[in-house]
Amino acid sequence: MNAHIEMDPIEVLRVKLEVLRRQHRDLDDAIHAMEQSRRGDQLALRRLKKQKLRLKDEIARLEDQLTPDIIA
């Protein structure tokens, strides 16, 4: 039986945000491991760091979408 489940847009954003946070943590762990091994390819390390920064930007963008605007 295939039940069709719909999530509201806010829940979709929250799920995406959690996935991105998990990917960010995984990249952080990979970068840390490469730095500790001191055998890591510097180009690969730089690419991982750039990817981590892109994820951070995307996380910030999604967090902004989820945070209601407060008019003071």
Side-chain angles (χ1 to χ4, degrees):
M1 174 185 287
N2 290 336
H4 183 69
I5 299 173
E6 278 193 42
M7 295 173 65
D8 67 36
I10 298 298
E11 286 301 314
V12 171
L13 288 177
R14 286 187 178 131
V15 169
K16 285 182 182 179
L17 185 58
E18 185 55 39
V19 168
L20 291 175
R21 285 178 177 156
R22 190 172 306 125
Q23 290 174 346
H24 188 269
R25 280 191 305 269
D26 291 346
L27 276 174
D28 194 43
D29 291 343
I31 289 167
H32 183 70
M34 283 182 78
E35 289 174 337
Q36 293 299 314
S37 72
R38 301 193 194 275
R39 296 178 301 153
D41 176 15
Q42 291 301 311
L43 180 60
L45 186 60
R46 204 170 357 181
R47 287 180 179 159
L48 288 177
K49 287 181 177 183
K50 284 183 181 181
Q51 185 179 359
K52 184 180 166 194
L53 285 174
R54 281 192 297 273
L55 283 173
K56 183 179 178 182
D57 290 343
E58 182 68 15
I59 288 168
R61 188 183 66 77
L62 288 178
E63 287 174 339
D64 286 346
Q65 287 181 358
L66 288 170
T67 304
D69 290 335
I70 299 173
I71 301 174

